Amino acid sequence: MSSSLTGKLKAFVFGSPNGPKVYQSLKTAEVPVTTAECRSCAHPCDQDHDDFSNRLDIDMDSDMVGSVKPYRRQVIISTGKTDWEHEVTEAEGTLAALLTTANSSLGPSKKPKPTTDPLPSWLAILNGSHKTFSHDESEETVIVLPDFMRTLAGAEALWKAAIDPALDRAGVTTQTNDLNTWVLPYSCLILLCSHKRRDKRCAVAAPILEKTFHQYLEREGWEVHTDLHDLTSEPSLESQTSSTTEKEQLIQTQLRSLYAEHRALILKNSHVGGHKFAGNCIIYTPRGAGVWYGRVTPHEVESIVKHTIIGGQVLPTIFRGGVDLTCRGKKTLYDW
């Protein structure tokens, strides 16, 4: 019996060996967490799920917690593709490469303002499957996380006004045409790694998971998109505000209203690490919480939809890591 199959059997019979420990650690950190099963179907499956893990070599034994490199921000760059060069930040002439250069040349020269924020300064640069809405070839449509923002800008303007680690969510309010931003009009964002040229396991998993998430979200009455809604015909945040304070207030107002929309965006993205834990899934809420799950198959999707996407709670047995998960005095990852 293969080690992968042995691990799957152990996980089903005994549950995740670190599940109780992870649950207690999250509970102590005041992260909304649930004791619900991550698998919603019987074993063997009675719901005709396409379990790709049976034909892939998935690591079912290693501890996944702590396998996410700490980051301050994560940017998802529009490409309209689901696979990319092996290393997207080294593809000459792309925004991913230009942002990497800006990160290196502009980042060290900036002195972060005094803060008690525990988040690190590392910027994670990914490509995404969404298409750009800009007619300018030098601009892409970039999703900035965990800020839950979407922007049109070139590399240097984007860095200086939106993703410099020294900046808060509102960034810098400018009176020029260098930057236009909008709040993502979704109740949650689901990211699925599909980067085949890095590892075929995620490329196999992503389209199957996308279809399954779509199915279970629609069953719950949610609207599901697989590409960004074009907001360029609507006023940008910059055109509606004249100061950073005004911009932050407008952002907060818009973000707080999003959960009630019951609208999800599913995108595929480039390498995030941990291909051996495929399928890899990241879920962001408008409040800025980001949950990383590993070993996700169609068997776990219904539970993720019910308990994390709708219920706003973390499933510890498939938990890899996350950002801004602590919710002191709150019950869910959507609570402010």
Side-chain angles (χ1 to χ4, degrees):
M1 183 180 293
S2 71
S3 60
S4 176
L5 183 56
T6 301
K8 291 171 190 172
L9 183 59
K10 284 164 59 181
F12 174 74
V13 176
F14 301 110
S16 171
N18 293 322
K21 181 180 177 181
V22 176
Y23 173 85
Q24 192 55 53
S25 296
L26 292 172
K27 195 76 173 175
T28 300
E30 299 187 78
V31 174
V33 61
T34 177
T35 57
E37 294 289 338
C38 64
R39 177 169 176 148
S40 58
C41 59
H43 187 83
C45 177
D46 57 359
Q47 296 185 32
D48 198 29
H49 288 147
D50 184 356
D51 186 356
F52 52 80
S53 67
N54 289 327
R55 45 189 195 272
L56 299 175
D57 183 17
I58 306 298
D59 181 346
M60 300 298 293
D61 295 310
S62 299
D63 186 0
M64 293 193 295
V65 177
S67 61
V68 176
K69 183 177 179 179
Y71 60 97
R72 172 68 177 189
R73 281 191 169 92
Q74 191 174 59
V75 294
I76 319 295
I77 302 167
S78 60
T79 67
K81 302 176 181 178
T82 59
D83 191 27
W84 304 269
E85 294 80 357
H86 184 269
E87 182 54 68
V88 299
T89 57
E90 296 177 1
E92 187 176 351
T94 64
L95 183 55
L98 293 171
L99 272 180
T100 301
T101 301
N103 191 14
S104 299
S105 61
L106 298 176
S109 65
K110 294 276 189 178
K111 290 185 178 181
K113 61 184 179 181
T115 178
T116 57
D117 192 339
L119 291 177
S121 60
W122 184 59
L123 173 67
I125 301 170
L126 308 178
N127 281 345
S129 58
H130 58 297
K131 303 177 183 67
T132 186
F133 299 116
S134 176
H135 299 294
D136 185 338
E137 293 184 357
S138 67
E139 292 185 341
E140 297 290 351
T141 300
V142 181
I143 296 172
V144 182
L145 301 163
D147 307 63
F148 221 72
M149 308 286 287
R150 197 205 76 180
T151 182
L152 288 173
E156 186 166 340
L158 178 61
W159 172 272
K160 290 182 176 179
I163 62 176
D164 184 333
L167 299 174
D168 291 327
R169 179 179 243 159
V172 175
T173 300
T174 64
Q175 298 302 317
T176 71
N177 293 322
D178 291 340
L179 186 78
N180 289 289
T181 59
W182 296 263
V183 168
L184 282 177
Y186 299 96
S187 307
C188 80
L189 169 63
I190 304 166
L191 297 175
L192 303 171
C193 182
S194 64
H195 200 163
K196 184 177 182 179
R197 275 179 252 191
R198 287 299 291 255
D199 193 296
K200 73 174 185 179
R201 286 172 288 191
C202 281
V204 171
I208 297 172
L209 291 177
E210 178 188 57
K211 178 181 178 181
T212 312
F213 271 110
H214 204 293
Q215 173 187 353
Y216 281 110
L217 282 163
E218 286 194 332
R219 283 187 186 180
E220 297 292 339
W222 279 48
E223 181 181 337
V224 184
H225 294 189
T226 54
D227 203 354
L228 274 172
H229 172 62
D230 187 357
L231 295 174
T232 53
S233 61
E234 301 180 20
S236 68
L237 293 167
E238 289 73 23
S239 69
Q240 300 177 73
T241 56
S242 58
S243 70
T244 301
T245 300
E246 286 184 8
K247 187 177 177 182
E248 179 63 35
Q249 290 173 345
L250 180 58
I251 290 170
Q252 290 281 339
T253 298
Q254 293 186 10
L255 288 173
R256 287 171 181 265
S257 69
L258 287 173
Y259 178 72
E261 298 294 326
H262 293 173
R263 183 187 303 120
L265 173 64
I266 306 175
L267 295 179
K268 301 184 185 74
N269 58 271
S270 60
H271 177 64
V272 294
H275 283 300
K276 65 181 181 179
F277 300 130
N280 281 293
C281 171
I282 310 173
I283 298 169
Y284 282 100
T285 72
R287 190 185 63 79
V291 185
W292 290 53
Y293 287 143
R295 301 183 184 128
V296 178
T297 73
H299 304 312
E300 288 76 40
V301 170
E302 183 178 12
S303 189
I304 293 173
V305 167
K306 289 184 176 180
H307 299 291
T308 302
I309 295 176
I310 296 176
Q313 295 183 317
V314 174
L315 290 158
T317 53
I318 53 174
F319 180 70
R320 287 188 58 193
V323 62
D324 198 18
L325 296 177
T326 297
C327 301
R328 292 181 177 86
K330 309 297 182 183
K331 294 183 179 181
T332 81
L333 298 174
Y334 291 98
D335 294 339
W336 294 81

